[in-house]
Amino acid sequence: MRLLAAELLKIWTAPRTLLGILLAEIAIVLIGVITTVHSAVSDTSLPPRLAQDVVSIGNTSLLFATLIGVLIATTEYRHGTITLAFLATPVRERVLAAKTGAAVIASALLVLPALLFTVGIAQIWVGGRDDYHFGSHEWGLIGRLFIGAAIVAMIGLFIGASLKRQLGAVILVLGWLVFVEHAVEGLFPGTRDYLAGRSIGGVLGGGGQGTPSFAHAVAVLAVYLVGLGALAVALTRRRDIT
């Protein structure tokens, strides 16, 4: 618990980074929810999926959860403080485990403001209308969003811990999701249900045709996490820290 508290304190002592991430997230969320609700109220009746669309705007927080995972893993390498961390805790796996816990907690704290703004603004704007339905399905999507954010934060952390470099880790994550996975899916269609991006969509419950089930998506992502986590541990243990 002391290691976890120390990692959380490290995040808290970088207020400018946190504020920048939070403001960027809120700006994107505000634009999304205002545009979505304003477009919906222009019709005589609200779209039946409006509440679901409002919650899905919060999926934006996954990008920032991934980024915070990368930063938690790489910032100490960049500033050279990782040496002190490993001197204080020679068992490096414990440091990595504490950083993983901190990434999961930070991801949840990033999801909260996104949901407060999206759901809150929609509730104030159209919550009193009879054709706006926010129920158990939407609450289920919110739960899935927290799970998805925790998963991508851990993925970001493990990739960051493996590469050590912030920019390299961010480029790898975005390049894989935006370019590589689409190329792999186009060349080998049978792999589509085993790709990380599509599996994240299954966890979030987008409902699109061909989206894997929640159980299948979690199982696939668990394999990714185990593989990336093992790689991060192996490289961290072998790494020469000076």
Side-chain angles (χ1 to χ4, degrees), residues 3 80 155 162 209 215:
L3 279 177
I155 289 175
S162 299
Q209 189 174 6

Side-chain angles (χ1 to χ4, degrees), residues 19-132:
L19 184 60
I21 291 174
L22 189 59
L23 289 178
E25 178 190 83
I26 291 174
I28 295 174
V29 164
L30 283 176
I31 293 171
V33 69
I34 291 172
T35 302
T36 300
V37 179
H38 182 268
S39 176
V41 297
S42 61
D43 297 330
T44 55
S45 61
L46 297 178
R49 289 171 52 92
L50 178 59
Q52 182 176 335
D53 292 340
V54 166
V55 174
S56 67
I57 295 170
N59 294 351
T60 303
S61 60
L62 266 68
L63 172 63
F64 298 96
T66 308
L67 177 60
I68 199 71
V70 170
L71 292 177
I72 289 172
T74 58
T75 299
E76 288 201 86
Y77 284 104
R78 181 179 181 182
H79 295 287
T81 57
I82 193 67
T83 303
L84 296 176
F86 287 153
L87 284 174
T89 309
V91 182
R92 297 182 180 184
E93 296 91 328
R94 293 183 60 195
V95 176
L96 197 58
K99 289 183 179 295
T100 303
V104 171
I105 294 172
S107 72
L109 295 178
L110 283 173
V111 170
L112 279 175
L115 288 174
L116 287 175
F117 277 97
T118 54
V119 177
I121 289 174
Q123 189 65 34
I124 293 171
W125 202 332
V126 296
R129 294 181 53 160
D130 294 334
D131 51 354
Y132 180 70

Side-chain angles (χ1 to χ4, degrees), residues 215-227:
H216 176 85
V218 169
V220 169
L221 290 171
V223 174
Y224 276 97
L225 287 175
V226 170

